[in-house]
Amino acid sequence: MFCIECGKEDEKLFKGLCRSCFAAGNRLIDIPPELEVEFCAHCSSTHLGDKWLDTNQSEEEVIAQTIVRESVQDEDAEDVVLEIDLLNQKGSVMEILVVATGNVVGTPIKKEYKVNVKLNRNVCPECSKYASGYYEAVLQLRADERPLESDEINMADEIIKSRLDKLSRTNRMAYLSQRLELKEGVDYYFGSSKAARKISNVLKSRMGGVMGESPRLMGRDKSAGKDLYRIWISLRLPFFHKGDFMTYNERVGPVIDLSGRKIIIRDLLTMEKISVSWREYSNLEIVAHREDIKITTVTSKTPTEIQILHPETYQPVDLNIIPELSDINIGDEVKVVEIKGKLYIIPPK
């Protein structure tokens, strides 16, 4: 038997060729002479297959990975390694030198290929949506039976900005498409419904209130075969503020705390904390505002009673003493509030 290429005899043949001829004729890899790589002109995403992916890689890394992915190793080659170098660039076309090294039947082989890579810069769907003002959800921030106050709006704005900064790191649709300040409140338009829900929950946990959600059919995606919805989220802040005085089950006291889970009221007669869930929100009644607190003077004190002057009529008023008032002395100034004709002393903190 002899090599059909060089005529050598008495050697092991591989498909009719000696080891040297068989190795020398091996291409190591098959690679297209021309490739295309598509980038978004506004962000770092790359079009791979039928998807746009945010790879967080440089263009050079993406091009190198594309070349590696499109290179098909020969079935007889082993341990193939590619080195990729830029030779020249004219406009959007890059001339790349690909050096492949590997082993074929135990013989080291080195091959060189030139590949032209065309860079296409388009706009990914997310950036296109952002530029067009696309949104998936609207958060409607309102206050119940009163207008929103400027500090509430500022607080909501700061929370939304902070949360969007964090969410946008993993969700490029987490952006604010539009903000409309209306007479009845503020509407926030979000590119992502998931982001809108997360932010709404944070707002509720920080500011309290009652939240509701309603989807609205906006059309149908024929390519995906599914209906398209936009989500309207309503967050209605309570009709009272922290520090206002409420009645609940015939008990009276100021709101000392509120969150997304509950409202905390301190009973002015027993100093007990009353926890009220938002399901019972409609059972609350405001009886005085935090601005209604007045200052007056203690004129007399006994083990069971304390006497103060009415802050408006200056008439003496006797009240039962409770342990929280035991440190108050004659001549001290105290805070009081009048509710339904009855004065209450607000204990010092």
Side-chain angles (χ1 to χ4, degrees):
M1 298 293 288
F2 61 91
C3 174
I4 60 175
E5 182 72 28
C6 69
K8 286 183 181 180
E9 298 181 355
D10 301 327
E11 282 199 16
K12 182 179 180 180
L13 300 180
F14 302 87
K15 298 180 181 180
L17 300 174
C18 68
R19 183 184 302 273
S20 298
C21 292
F22 183 76
N26 191 282
R27 290 176 51 82
L28 291 181
I29 60 171
D30 286 321
I31 183 171
E34 295 184 351
L35 293 172
E36 291 188 3
V37 180
E38 188 172 13
F39 297 100
C40 177
H42 300 285
C43 69
S44 60
S45 62
T46 308
H47 197 186
L48 298 175
D50 59 349
K51 295 182 179 179
W52 285 87
L53 301 176
D54 190 357
T55 61
N56 293 320
Q57 294 177 317
S58 67
E59 291 187 357
E60 291 77 10
E61 290 173 323
V62 173
I63 291 170
Q65 286 189 356
T66 300
I67 291 174
V68 171
R69 186 175 58 253
E70 296 297 327
S71 301
V72 180
Q73 181 175 310
D74 189 275
E75 61 179 5
D76 296 315
E78 297 178 341
D79 305 323
V80 177
V81 177
L82 303 184
E83 293 183 8
I84 300 170
D85 293 309
L86 174 64
L87 295 178
N88 189 25
Q89 181 170 359
K90 294 181 179 179
S92 61
V93 178
M94 303 175 73
E95 186 179 9
I96 304 291
L97 175 64
V98 180
V99 179
T101 57
N103 294 308
V104 178
V105 294
T107 303
I109 298 295
K110 180 179 181 181
K111 298 288 184 177
E112 294 185 353
Y113 304 90
K114 288 185 179 180
V115 179
N116 289 329
V117 179
K118 183 178 181 181
L119 307 183
N120 292 326
R121 301 191 184 278
N122 292 312
V123 181
C124 70
E126 285 79 7
C127 289
S128 177
K129 289 176 180 178
Y130 178 82
S132 66
Y134 173 86
Y135 62 94
E136 291 182 353
V138 180
L139 168 61
Q140 297 177 311
L141 183 64
R142 304 289 188 266
D144 197 8
E145 300 179 7
R146 63 176 178 84
L148 279 174
E149 297 184 358
S150 59
D151 59 337
E152 293 173 324
I153 295 175
N154 292 336
M155 182 178 181
D157 287 346
E158 290 176 4
I159 292 173
I160 290 172
K161 182 180 183 302
S162 174
R163 298 303 299 180
L164 282 177
D165 287 343
K166 294 180 180 179
L167 292 172
S168 62
R169 297 170 191 171
T170 55
N171 180 3
R172 288 194 292 120
M173 295 299 289
Y175 60 80
L176 192 64
S177 172
Q178 190 176 13
R179 177 187 179 279
L180 293 179
E181 195 159 334
L182 311 171
K183 181 177 67 174
E184 59 271 23
V186 184
D187 288 351
Y188 301 91
Y189 293 72
F190 294 94
S192 165
S193 58
K194 291 183 179 179
R197 287 190 176 102
K198 290 181 179 179
I199 290 173
S200 300
N201 288 328
V202 173
L203 287 173
K204 186 179 187 303
S205 68
R206 295 276 300 275
M207 305 176 73
V210 178
M211 190 162 67
E213 180 179 308
S214 62
R216 300 183 188 178
L217 181 63
M218 303 304 296
R220 185 170 179 81
D221 185 344
K222 295 182 180 179
S223 60
K226 63 179 182 179
D227 293 332
L228 298 177
Y229 291 90
R230 280 185 177 143
I231 307 300
W232 263 254
I233 302 171
S234 170
L235 178 58
R236 190 168 293 276
L237 302 185
F239 58 86
F240 54 83
H241 298 88
K242 185 177 177 180
D244 288 340
F245 296 84
M246 317 297 296
T247 60
Y248 173 73
N249 288 344
E250 299 182 355
R251 303 176 76 177
V252 178
V255 176
I256 61 173
D257 194 18
L258 58 89
S259 67
R261 296 175 57 193
K262 56 189 176 180
I263 306 151
I264 305 298
I265 299 171
R266 186 181 295 281
D267 190 317
L268 283 175
L269 292 179
T270 65
M271 294 298 118
E272 293 177 347
K273 291 182 180 179
I274 308 168
S275 178
V276 183
S277 71
W278 286 101
R279 292 192 301 272
E280 300 178 278
Y281 169 70
S282 60
N283 295 326
L284 294 173
E285 178 186 354
I286 190 166
V287 289
H289 296 279
R290 53 191 177 182
E291 296 83 8
D292 296 328
I293 295 175
K294 302 289 194 304
I295 303 294
T296 189
T297 305
V298 176
T299 57
S300 176
K301 181 181 179 184
T302 70
T304 59
E305 290 187 342
I306 189 169
Q307 187 182 82
I308 59 174
L309 294 179
H310 192 287
E312 294 180 351
T313 66
Y314 302 105
Q315 294 298 313
V317 179
D318 293 323
L319 301 174
N320 293 331
I321 197 166
I322 57 177
E324 286 75 14
L325 303 180
S326 59
D327 291 337
I328 297 176
N329 298 309
I330 297 174
D332 288 349
E333 288 189 338
V334 293
K335 294 180 179 180
V336 297
V337 62
E338 186 171 11
I339 298 174
K340 297 182 178 180
K342 183 178 179 179
L343 277 179
Y344 297 86
I345 296 177
I346 302 172
K349 295 183 179 179

